[in-house]
Amino acid sequence: LTQYMVSLDYVVGATTLTAFYSDVEALGLATPVDADGFGLGASYDLGGGASLKGGYVDFGGEDAFDFGISMSF
């Protein structure tokens, strides 16, 4: 198994922007994996432990989206 990943966060006021790239190679498995992916995300701090968060990921040709509210108390 060989895996590489790089991630970068950039903070602007109450907003955090995130980008990442990943490369995975696991050729010794019954079902070999050789895929790369990337993602983009954002988080906006609403205050009081609440944040709006969303993102997009493309990994191995599969797309995924996510958006929601995160609460931490």
Side-chain angles (χ1 to χ4, degrees):
L1 172 69
T2 304
Q3 181 173 340
Y4 301 97
M5 180 177 274
V6 63
S7 177
L8 176 67
D9 288 343
Y10 182 72
V11 179
V12 181
T15 303
T16 301
L17 304 171
T18 303
F20 79 89
Y21 173 79
S22 174
D23 185 20
V24 178
E25 184 177 298
L27 301 177
L29 303 175
T31 304
V33 175
D34 186 8
D36 63 344
F38 70 92
L40 302 170
S43 175
Y44 182 77
D45 186 359
L46 298 171
S51 297
L52 287 176
K53 295 184 177 189
Y56 165 76
V57 174
D58 177 334
F59 185 75
E62 298 290 324
D63 296 328
F65 300 90
D66 189 357
F67 182 77
I69 297 174
S70 173
M71 291 183 257
S72 176
F73 301 100

